[in-house]
């Protein structure tokens, strides 16, 4: 809970879904729905005007898709990036991976339970990323071919290896496999707090915003093979 309500903007083209999200978030004592949008252009304008703490974004939006909206709100070069939580029907949505690359702080599936949705918004609002282990594994499997590195990625891999200690590389590999902090702690026989410290160092050294970007980078440069996800 926070003393100031988390300001949420809902961007979803289906009215029933928007209404459902509004009902769920409005029922939380620490959240306030500041607006909604039914198409991408309206979402972009609303986010810039209302300055929400978290934007709940559907990928398949009319006029301007959710990926482009996310890129303009949170992508590389954005001076004051907005936190975006993508909620998508992953099994039929081939653009989820691109949304993460565009700057989303995480995503959930549309069949997530209300508690998962609420917890997801809270997680992103406090500055953490949301990439559930099960979702990470599904993402990796679905986009295995796209995630395979090219020869041009090899110098970047060498840079990553030089930047991190051996233990930090191990933690990054576990992140890329979709393990949670507690799972990493158990596998490496270290405390959860130590894992958090390593993750923080990895993000700082590689100039990454969150663990979502760390996972994407690990696969893009070939630190972890896509077919093992």
């Amino acid at each position: 809970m926070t003393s100031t309500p988390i300001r949420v903007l809902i961007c979803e083209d289906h009215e029933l879904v928007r209404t459902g999200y509004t009902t769920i978030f409005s029922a939380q004592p620490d959240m306030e729905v500041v607006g909604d949008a039914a198409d991408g252009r309206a979402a972009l304008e609303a986010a810039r005007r209302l300055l929400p703490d978290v934007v709940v974004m559907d990928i398949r939006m009319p006029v301007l898709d959710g990926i482009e909206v996310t890129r303009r709100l949170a992508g590389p070069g954005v001076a004051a990036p907005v936190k975006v939580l993508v909620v998508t029907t992953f099994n039929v949505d081939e653009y989820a991976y691109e949304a993460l690359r565009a700057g989303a702080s995480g995503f959930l599936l549309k069949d997530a339970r209300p508690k998962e949705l609420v917890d997801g918004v809270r997680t992103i609002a406090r500055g953490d990323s949301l990439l559930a282990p099960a979702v990470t594994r599904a993402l990796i499997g679905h986009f295995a071919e796209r995630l395979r590195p090219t020869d041009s990625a090899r110098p970047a891999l060498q840079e990553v290896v030089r930047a991190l200690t051996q233990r930090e590389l191990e933690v990054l590999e576990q992140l890329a496999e979709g393990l949670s902090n507690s799972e990493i702690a158990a596998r490496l026989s270290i405390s959860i707090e130590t894992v958090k410290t390593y993750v923080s160092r990895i993000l700082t050294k590689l100039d990454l915003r969150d663990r979502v970007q760390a996972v994407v980078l690990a696969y893009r440069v070939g630190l972890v093979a896509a077919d093992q996800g």
Side-chain angles (χ1 to χ4, degrees):
M1 299 294 179
T2 59
S3 56
T4 302
I6 300 169
R7 295 165 50 81
V8 181
L9 173 65
I10 300 168
C11 303
E12 163 65 52
D13 61 327
H14 290 91
E15 184 176 358
L16 283 177
V17 178
R18 284 202 313 276
T19 300
Y21 287 168
T22 299
T23 300
I24 291 170
F25 295 133
S26 297
Q28 307 306 312
D30 60 337
M31 294 185 186
E32 175 188 2
V33 177
V34 295
D36 60 49
D39 67 69
R41 194 170 301 282
L44 188 62
E45 187 279 330
R48 290 172 172 170
R49 174 172 50 85
L50 297 171
L51 302 178
D53 297 309
V54 176
V55 175
V56 176
M57 179 73 67
D58 184 24
I59 287 181
R60 294 188 171 183
M61 298 276 283
V63 185
L64 196 64
D65 68 47
I67 295 173
E68 183 58 30
V69 177
T70 298
R71 184 176 293 111
R72 297 187 189 186
L73 292 177
V78 176
V82 178
K83 297 181 179 71
V84 178
L85 172 62
V86 171
V87 184
T88 178
T89 308
F90 175 77
N91 290 335
V92 298
D93 200 326
E94 299 181 355
Y95 305 107
Y97 173 68
E98 295 302 331
L100 295 180
R101 291 191 66 199
S105 293
F107 72 88
L108 290 171
L109 307 186
K110 279 192 175 179
D111 61 0
R113 293 169 298 178
K115 183 180 185 304
E116 293 176 312
L117 188 63
V118 168
D119 288 345
V121 168
R122 290 186 180 123
T123 295
I124 288 179
R126 65 173 177 258
D128 295 329
S129 61
L130 181 69
L131 196 57
V135 176
T136 305
R137 296 176 185 123
L139 180 71
I140 292 164
H142 195 70
F143 292 101
E145 289 302 320
R146 191 180 305 184
L147 286 164
R148 295 184 192 282
T150 62
D151 290 340
S152 63
R154 296 306 176 185
L157 173 58
Q158 294 171 9
E159 293 172 10
V160 169
V161 171
R162 283 197 299 267
L164 303 181
T165 67
Q166 183 58 41
R167 185 58 110 180
E168 289 164 353
L169 283 170
E170 292 175 357
V171 171
L172 179 55
E173 289 170 357
Q174 308 304 312
L175 285 177
E177 288 182 30
L179 272 64
S180 65
N181 285 349
S182 59
E183 289 171 328
I184 295 172
R187 180 174 290 190
L188 299 181
S189 299
I190 57 180
S191 70
I192 294 178
E193 289 305 316
T194 300
V195 173
K196 291 180 180 179
T197 297
Y198 280 127
V199 171
S200 178
R201 289 177 183 171
I202 290 167
L203 299 183
T204 299
K205 288 183 176 181
L206 299 181
D207 193 25
L208 301 171
R209 187 183 61 206
D210 53 39
R211 66 194 291 148
V212 171
Q213 291 188 347
V215 170
V216 172
L217 175 67
Y219 280 91
R220 293 292 289 183
V221 304
L223 182 64
V224 179
D227 55 10
Q228 77 179 57

